[in-house]
């Protein structure tokens, strides 16, 4: 663990564990509301998770690339290496989407990993060639351009009616661009728009820039206490800006990744990470830090192989649904004892998700103890 920021590993681990929890209920018909995405406008606990991943990626990029660039590494080579990493992440996402049908004609092109890869590619030149002020202005410009395209450009909706500034599903500019460029390869549940579409990836880049800025702040020579205090202040300020934009610009919306959503989620990310940073890295009592580290050990184990565990969990979830035994999916067979246990259906469904998280925590600990750290 020498040289690692323990709080960042714990924050990353919290995020991946939360993602596994919300992605793997026993029964999608019985799920507590906070463990589902908001239907459209608004947000739930589940809507924290993806922007937290993007935010964490930004922090990590600053801590690695900026430091190497300042030490004299070739900046162009750093940028190209990072872009290659982004392409590999996109490739992994596409392969995961191919399973189990392996049908290129209906392959969903967008996805969580595809968006993470695109954000990495688009942020690479920013983190290598721009200072923190220029990165901040780049984020503002991205959000301004996105807002203009969403609010002022007239486009036909999925129903053929031309509208200007509509923010309803399948009626907005982002969904029009996705249908124009990726028709037949969008989210199968709706087919007329995608929650990880192309245009909405632009403001996701702004979320990653928020992480870049936090990474710069962590790299300063300020005291740990001062860093933590300003994480809390920045978090509260971003929440306030998010609420202002929610009322004035576009509502908080994960599927559209609106500017209000960018600021609101960046605010929550700063606050949650600020708590982790204080407990694990910044508080003056070494004994207290060590006690917190013991409690946070499961999250740290998750955080040290987060991308691998996310991909593996997605693969396992697909196989559980795909493998059939006596006419039932393997997931149905595994879930049956909980479903028939007498628990309320919603609690049985939650308990299955918790079991899924604990199973992969076992995998994470196994890998950590053997010093297996799989990175792209």
């Amino acid at each position: 663990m020498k040289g690692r920021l323990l709080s960042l590993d714990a924050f990353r681990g919290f995020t991946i564990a939360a993602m596994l929890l919300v992605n793997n209920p026993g029964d999608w018909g019985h799920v507590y509301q906070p463990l589902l995405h908001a239907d459209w406008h608004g947000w739930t606990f589940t809507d924290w998770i993806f922007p937290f991943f993007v935010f964490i990626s930004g922090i990590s990029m600053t801590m690695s690339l900026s430091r190497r660039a300042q030490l004299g590494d070739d900046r162009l080579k750093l940028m190209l290496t990072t872009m290659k990493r982004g392409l590999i992440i996109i490739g992994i996402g596409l392969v995961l989407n191919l399973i189990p049908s392996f049908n290129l004609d209906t392959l969903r092109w967008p996805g969580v990993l595809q968006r993470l890869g695109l954000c990495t590619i688009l942020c690479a030149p920013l983190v290598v060639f721009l200072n923190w002020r220029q990165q901040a202005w780049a984020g503002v410009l991205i959000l301004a351009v996105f807002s203009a395209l969403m609010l002022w450009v007239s486009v036909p909706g999925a129903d053929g009616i031309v509208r200007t500034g509509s923010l309803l599903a399948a009626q907005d500019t982002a969904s029009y661009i996705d249908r124009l460029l990726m028709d037949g390869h969008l989210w199968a549940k709706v087919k007329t728009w995608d929650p990880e579409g192309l245009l909405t990836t632009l403001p996701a880049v702004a979320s990653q820039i928020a992480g870049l800025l936090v990474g710069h702040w962590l790299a300063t020579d300020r005291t740990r206490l001062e860093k933590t205090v300003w994480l809390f202040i920045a978090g509260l300020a971003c929440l306030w800006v998010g609420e202002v934009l929610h009322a004035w610009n576009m509502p908080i919306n994960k599927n559209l990744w609106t500017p209000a959503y960018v600021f609101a989620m960046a605010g929550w990310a700063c606050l949650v990470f600020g708590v982790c940073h204080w407990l694990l890295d910044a508080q003056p009592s070494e004994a207290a830090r060590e006690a917190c580290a013991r409690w946070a050990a499961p999250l740290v184990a998750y955080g040290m192989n987060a991308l691998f565990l996310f991909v593996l969990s997605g693969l396992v979830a697909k196989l559980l649904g795909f493998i059939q035994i006596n006419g039932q999916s393997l997931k149905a067979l595994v879930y049956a004892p909980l479903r028939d246990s007498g628990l309320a259906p919603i609690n049985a469904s939650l308990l299955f998700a918790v079991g899924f998280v604990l199973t992969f925590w076992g995998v994470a600990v196994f890998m950590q103890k053997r010093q297996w750290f799989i990175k792209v």
Side-chain angles (χ1 to χ4, degrees), residues 79-131:
M79 183 186 74
L80 294 177
T81 300
T82 305
M83 288 182 165
K84 180 182 177 182
R85 178 177 184 270
L87 288 173
I88 292 172
I89 294 172
I90 291 172
I92 294 171
L94 290 172
V95 171
L96 201 59
N97 281 0
L98 272 173
I99 300 170
S101 65
F102 294 96
N103 187 344
L104 291 173
D105 292 334
T106 58
L107 170 66
R108 182 189 174 205
W109 291 351
V112 170
L113 291 176
Q114 291 87 314
R115 173 162 286 180
L116 286 172
L118 280 173
C119 287
T120 298
I121 291 170
L122 293 173
C123 276
L126 303 183
V127 71
V128 171
F129 292 108
L130 302 183
N131 60 40

Side-chain angles (χ1 to χ4, degrees), residues 313-355:
S313 68
L315 179 60
V316 169
K318 284 176 176 284
L319 292 177
L320 285 174
F322 176 69
I323 296 174
Q324 299 286 316
I325 300 175
N326 297 326
Q328 293 189 76
S329 70
L330 183 56
K331 179 180 179 179
L333 291 172
V334 173
Y335 179 52
L338 284 173
R339 184 192 61 211
D340 302 332
S341 66
L343 288 171
I346 198 167
N347 291 330
S349 180
L350 175 61
L351 192 56
F352 180 89
V354 171

Side-chain angles (χ1 to χ4, degrees), residues 11 19 43 55 95-96 108 127 136-137 141 149 174-175 177 186 190-191 209 214 271 296 305 324 338 340 374:
F11 184 37
M19 179 168 278
W43 63 275
F55 179 87
V95 171
L96 201 59
R108 182 189 174 205
V127 71
W137 280 113
L141 179 61
L149 292 173
S175 66
I177 292 174
L186 301 175
V190 292
K191 298 183 180 180
I209 290 173
V214 169
L271 292 175
N305 274 299
Q324 299 286 316
L338 284 173
D340 302 332
I374 299 176

Side-chain angles (χ1 to χ4, degrees), residues 50-225:
F50 196 178
F52 279 19
F53 262 122
V54 177
F55 179 87
I56 291 165
S57 177
I59 296 176
S60 299
M61 287 182 74
T62 297
M63 294 178 68
S64 59
L65 295 183
S66 291
R67 185 180 306 158
R68 290 171 62 187
Q70 291 167 3
L71 290 174
D73 285 13
D74 184 273
R75 291 176 182 263
L76 180 60
K77 185 178 179 180
L78 283 177
M79 183 186 74
L80 294 177
T81 300
T82 305
M83 288 182 165
K84 180 182 177 182
R85 178 177 184 270
L87 288 173
I88 292 172
I89 294 172
I90 291 172
I92 294 171
L94 290 172
V95 171
L96 201 59
N97 281 0
L98 272 173
I99 300 170
S101 65
F102 294 96
N103 187 344
L104 291 173
D105 292 334
T106 58
L107 170 66
R108 182 189 174 205
W109 291 351
V112 170
L113 291 176
Q114 291 87 314
R115 173 162 286 180
L116 286 172
L118 280 173
C119 287
T120 298
I121 291 170
L122 293 173
C123 276
L126 303 183
V127 71
V128 171
F129 292 108
L130 302 183
N131 60 40
W132 71 266
R133 290 185 178 84
Q134 293 167 329
Q135 291 167 8
W137 280 113
V140 171
L141 179 61
I142 286 170
L143 294 180
V145 170
F146 175 78
S147 297
L149 292 173
M150 293 293 288
L151 296 175
W152 299 340
V153 176
S154 299
V155 296
D159 56 6
I161 299 175
V162 177
R163 301 175 179 86
T164 302
S166 175
L167 299 177
L168 298 179
Q171 295 180 6
D172 58 280
T173 306
S175 66
Y176 169 71
I177 292 174
D178 289 342
R179 289 191 301 275
L180 186 67
L181 299 178
M182 300 185 293
D183 191 31
H185 299 278
L186 301 175
W187 190 30
K189 186 175 180 180
V190 292
K191 298 183 180 180
T192 56
W193 58 274
D194 200 288
E196 281 83 47
L198 287 174
L199 183 60
T200 52
T201 297
L202 275 181
V205 172
S207 292
Q208 189 143 335
I209 290 173
L212 297 182
L213 299 178
V214 169
H216 284 296
W217 175 242
L218 294 174
T220 65
D221 57 1
R222 304 298 180 92
T223 66
R224 292 176 175 179
L225 173 61

